[in-house]
Each structure stands twice: as C-alpha cells, then as structure tokens.
Amino acid sequence: MIVRTLQATRDTQRQINSTGWNSVRMLLQNDGVGFSFHITTIYRDGELHMHYQNHCEAVYCISGRGSIENKATGKVHAIEPGTLYVLDQHDAHILRAVDEMQMACVFNPPLHG
C-alpha cells in the first residue's frame, strides 16, 4: 500500500517547476502501479504547447478556468472545474489558463520522474 499526501510530496524531487506550470508527481513508474498520477498547476495566463508521443493522459480540472485546443483540428474546448479531457490519440495541443488551474493528471505508461 502506498499512502502519500500532496503537502508532503511538495518540495521534494517529485515536484517539477517549469515555465507556466508545476507538477507534483505523487505516483511515478518506480512505484510499480502501471500509471503515474500528478497534481499539476497551470499558472494564470499560461499557454503551453504540448505533445505526448508516448503517453496517453487523462486530465480532470479541480479548479480554475481555461481551454484546450487540438492543434490538428483547431477545435477549442472550454475547461472548468469538473471537466475531464483525455489525450488518447497522442494529440498535439495548446493548453491555456485564464485563471490558475489545478489539474489531476494520470499518464499511461507512467512517467519516470
């Protein structure tokens, strides 16, 4: 059994800080459960161009508002608390935050670090 709190995981090597976002990686590949689980914050007015070629990702919006744009089609979807989106086709996308957004993210296969 693995038990961790978000607060205890912050400020460890499992927290990744980058331009426009940070991610607390509560489960990683070395935990051996077959997926990784992250709480990710997208900062207000952030615009992130992303493309996971080797991972599928499910993202649930806990708080904040923004949008996701499918780069292949140009279609834009609103994101608000309660919204789930899944990048099941390795979709290249642009994530935009109107307000700071807190997201729960699951990756398969799991991220290493």
Side-chain angles (χ1 to χ4, degrees):
M1 179 182 296
I2 299 168
V3 178
R4 294 188 177 113
T5 67
L6 179 61
Q7 189 59 39
T9 310
R10 283 192 172 114
D11 299 323
T12 71
Q13 65 183 6
R14 288 177 176 263
Q15 180 168 310
I16 307 300
N17 295 301
S18 189
T19 303
W21 60 274
N22 89 41
S23 179
V24 180
R25 295 168 176 195
M26 297 185 74
L27 289 172
L28 291 166
Q29 182 184 41
N30 64 0
D31 291 308
V33 296
F35 60 91
S36 59
F37 180 82
H38 315 233
I39 298 296
T40 299
T41 302
I42 310 299
Y43 301 128
R44 181 184 179 139
D45 297 326
E47 180 173 299
L48 308 176
H49 294 250
M50 305 170 91
H51 187 195
Y52 303 116
Q53 297 181 22
N54 301 308
H55 303 276
C56 291
E57 181 188 23
V59 179
Y60 179 81
C61 180
I62 298 167
S63 64
R65 295 178 308 120
S67 65
I68 186 167
E69 179 180 342
N70 183 320
K71 287 177 94 173
T73 67
K75 184 159 181 149
V76 177
H77 302 273
I79 298 174
E80 60 186 25
T83 302
L84 171 78
Y85 67 85
V86 180
L87 303 167
D88 60 332
Q89 302 297 312
H90 307 287
D91 312 272
H93 60 286
I94 303 170
L95 187 59
R96 295 181 179 97
V98 174
D99 303 318
E100 183 173 283
M101 296 192 297
Q102 188 171 56
M103 319 288 267
C105 310
V106 176
F107 283 85
N108 186 24
L111 297 184
H112 296 120

